[in-house]
Amino acid sequence: MEAIWLGHFFKLKTLIMKRLILLLLFASSTLFATAQFGVKLGVNISNVGGDDAVDNKALIGYYIGVYYNAEISPVFSFQPELVYSAEGAKYDDGSGDDFKLLLNYLKVTALFRYNLPSGLFFATGPQLGALMSANVKADGEKVDVKDQFKGTNFAWSFASGYMSAGGIGFYVRYDYGLANIVDDAEADLKLRNISIGLRYNFGTGGGEARKR
């Protein structure tokens, strides 16, 4: 009896595993079938906030990157992004001359999107940035100060945009820095960045194009 019971148990376990694998394969194929790969680029308006941010002004930079928008439901999707972003701030040295803090990050963002049939979308999610370079520029000369900054930065992103049926759209995002960017436990300096730009979807397998 025990041998028969064990035989039925393993048969049932095998059947359940096969059904689970088939279900996962079906879900994965559906997810990738409705996914969209795209590119994005635009302008950054960044600054430094926090208790120790003094005499700083906004700095104009740029960003360029790629994203992959995967549909979860008719209105929700998941969009990971990989972006190279030039950020920083301007400072007044007291003599009327400005110097620039130039910070270049490679940023990974995991956005959860809410998509409207009109093409409008809203998104939010965490962001992790890896510091590629850090320089202070004054009088046309650059000084490497990367060793004074932390190698990673954490922020939370809020985004909104519009995608046309043809795959072209515009995009606005605000990255609110949550972590201290300098390598000093007593300092309080955090990045704030607004990104404004264009984006383009390759392919129209699902997502915005179908909702239009």
Side-chain angles (χ1 to χ4, degrees):
M1 288 292 295
E2 183 177 354
I4 296 175
W5 183 86
L6 286 174
H8 285 301
F9 172 76
F10 284 116
K11 285 182 180 179
L12 180 61
K13 183 179 178 181
T14 302
L15 180 62
I16 292 174
M17 290 299 295
K18 286 182 178 179
R19 294 286 177 86
L20 182 58
I21 291 171
L22 288 174
L23 180 61
L24 290 173
L25 289 173
F26 176 76
S28 299
S29 64
T30 303
L31 186 66
F32 284 107
T34 58
Q36 294 176 321
F37 171 78
V39 296
K40 50 184 284 187
L41 57 87
V43 175
N44 285 333
I45 305 171
S46 59
N47 208 335
V48 175
D51 294 340
D52 295 322
V54 181
D55 297 328
N56 53 295
K57 298 182 287 186
L59 177 72
I60 304 299
Y62 69 92
Y63 71 89
I64 183 169
V66 295
Y67 61 88
Y68 191 78
N69 186 40
E71 185 178 298
I72 298 174
S73 75
V75 294
F76 290 104
S77 62
F78 174 64
Q79 181 176 295
E81 297 184 351
L82 180 64
V83 175
Y84 184 84
S85 185
E87 305 174 17
K90 287 183 180 179
Y91 290 87
D92 188 346
D93 64 1
S95 63
D97 296 326
D98 289 337
F99 67 91
K100 298 177 181 178
L101 173 63
L102 307 175
L103 303 173
N104 295 321
Y105 284 91
L106 186 63
K107 304 195 296 187
V108 177
T109 311
L111 290 174
F112 296 89
R113 284 179 41 170
Y114 176 72
N115 308 291
L116 297 175
S118 63
L120 288 171
F121 65 86
F122 304 90
T124 187
Q127 177 189 101
L128 180 65
L131 184 63
M132 299 288 101
S133 65
N135 294 281
V136 170
K137 183 177 181 181
D139 299 326
E141 297 184 0
K142 286 185 179 181
V143 178
D144 190 338
V145 293
K146 188 177 179 181
D147 60 346
Q148 299 179 29
F149 289 81
K150 291 184 177 179
T152 56
N153 182 42
F154 182 70
W156 197 271
S157 298
F158 304 88
S160 180
Y162 171 81
M163 292 301 302
S164 70
I168 300 175
F170 65 86
Y171 184 72
V172 178
R173 183 162 105 183
Y174 178 60
D175 298 330
Y176 184 81
L178 299 174
N180 183 25
I181 60 173
V182 294
D183 195 13
D184 184 349
E186 296 182 359
D188 182 24
L189 291 174
K190 299 179 176 70
L191 271 178
R192 310 282 190 256
N193 184 57
I194 298 173
S195 299
I196 304 171
L198 300 175
R199 48 197 284 129
Y200 180 74
N201 285 342
F202 293 99
T204 56
E208 298 89 352
R210 204 175 59 191
K211 294 181 179 68
R212 298 287 288 123

